[in-house]
Amino acid sequence: IAGITQAPTSQILAAGRRMTLRCTQDMRHNAMYWYRQDLGLGLRLIHYSNTAGTTGKGEVPDGYSVSRANTDDFPLTLASAVPSQTSVYFCASSEWTGGKLFFGSGTQLSVL
Amino acid sequence: SQQGEEDPQALSIQEGENATMNCSYKTSINNLQWYRQNSGRGLVHLILIRSNEREKHSGRLRVTLDTSKKSSSLLITASRAADTASYFCATDPVGGSYIPTFGRGTSLIVHP
């Protein structure tokens, strides 16, 4: 049972570079989410998608974009990375918006 | 900004003791969830309690919800070293987007 798969596991990125974090789920969940986790700040929502074809902004969306072309995939793109985007990024999904979340293992991103 | 805030920030106990963590929130909610995060891993769902429920149990876990005080507590009985983790509450505010908003978490250390 795979659940949610995130890639890469970790990445070091030069400032100004473009980066896409991948997220795939095999549970046919309608809703998907991207959170970032920073020490002392907990998890903050970046973007979400209630269902394929729709996306919405969370608490900290600036500098990030998402797409939801199909049910399974929800990539997060940093168009031009900055050091403040150094964080651990978690993708999650739920059967319906607001339900029990299933999390991936995270991507540790360092922007230098 | 976080809707839910956990207290204490850190808790250190001996194996066999009970651990109690609290979550306070600001606005009315549809439901409240508790999650566990082991170091370096994704979050794992523990319990979801709805606004019309006052108490739920799952194994050694007991969650209470007091909507009049806008607070919830997570009790872990007979703790084990394997319970060492961070614990987060997530709230779904009434009138919001139905997306869980996380607090900063409680770091629990259980000494063998």
Side-chain angles (χ1 to χ4, degrees):
Chain A
I1 299 176
I4 291 193
T5 302
Q6 289 186 239
T9 303
S10 65
Q11 181 75 44
I12 299 173
L13 190 66
R17 298 297 296 270
R18 181 184 179 90
M19 175 73 190
T20 295
L21 308 186
R22 300 185 299 279
C23 176
T24 299
Q25 53 107 355
D26 63 1
M27 297 174 282
R28 307 302 293 174
H29 284 172
N30 288 305
M32 297 187 74
Y33 317 82
W34 276 104
Y35 289 91
R36 59 177 288 174
Q37 184 176 31
D38 303 289
L39 193 63
L41 294 178
L43 279 84
R44 293 181 292 169
L45 182 69
I46 305 171
H47 284 287
Y48 66 95
S49 169
N50 290 327
T51 189
T54 68
T55 62
K57 294 182 179 180
E59 182 184 356
V60 288
D62 294 343
Y64 306 94
S65 64
V66 292
S67 61
R68 186 88 184 277
N70 57 60
T71 297
D72 298 343
D73 302 301
F74 192 44
L76 176 73
T77 298
L78 289 68
S80 179
V82 295
S84 62
Q85 292 177 312
T86 292
S87 187
V88 181
Y89 291 85
F90 287 100
C91 180
S93 71
S94 60
E95 189 174 355
W96 63 84
T97 306
K100 170 183 172 181
L101 298 183
F102 292 79
F103 281 83
S105 298
T107 294
Q108 172 73 61
L109 180 67
S110 297
V111 182
L112 306 179
Chain B
S1 61
Q2 271 82 6
Q3 156 77 327
E5 292 294 340
E6 294 87 347
D7 174 69
Q9 290 186 11
L11 183 60
S12 181
I13 61 175
Q14 296 294 321
E15 227 175 12
E17 295 180 340
N18 295 340
T20 300
M21 288 157 271
N22 302 296
C23 173
S24 59
Y25 54 92
K26 300 173 184 174
T27 61
S28 296
I29 58 172
N30 295 309
N31 63 59
L32 185 147
Q33 304 181 52
W34 284 93
Y35 289 81
R36 182 188 74 234
Q37 183 181 34
N38 292 93
S39 181
R41 311 292 290 274
L43 281 72
V44 174
H45 182 267
L46 297 175
I47 289 182
L48 182 152
I49 186 165
R50 302 193 186 283
S51 60
N52 62 351
E53 298 176 313
R54 291 297 167 259
E55 187 170 312
K56 288 191 82 169
H57 298 256
S58 177
R60 294 183 295 112
L61 306 180
R62 172 178 169 252
V63 168
T64 60
L65 179 64
D66 187 333
T67 53
S68 67
K69 295 181 179 178
K70 292 186 171 59
S71 68
S72 173
S73 67
L74 170 66
L75 169 67
I76 304 174
T77 60
S79 63
R80 305 166 181 168
D83 294 326
T84 294
S86 292
Y87 292 82
F88 295 86
C89 69
T91 54
D92 168 19
V94 172
S97 58
Y98 300 102
I99 297 172
T101 302
F102 287 84
R104 291 182 172 86
T106 292
S107 175
L108 172 66
I109 297 176
V110 182
H111 299 278

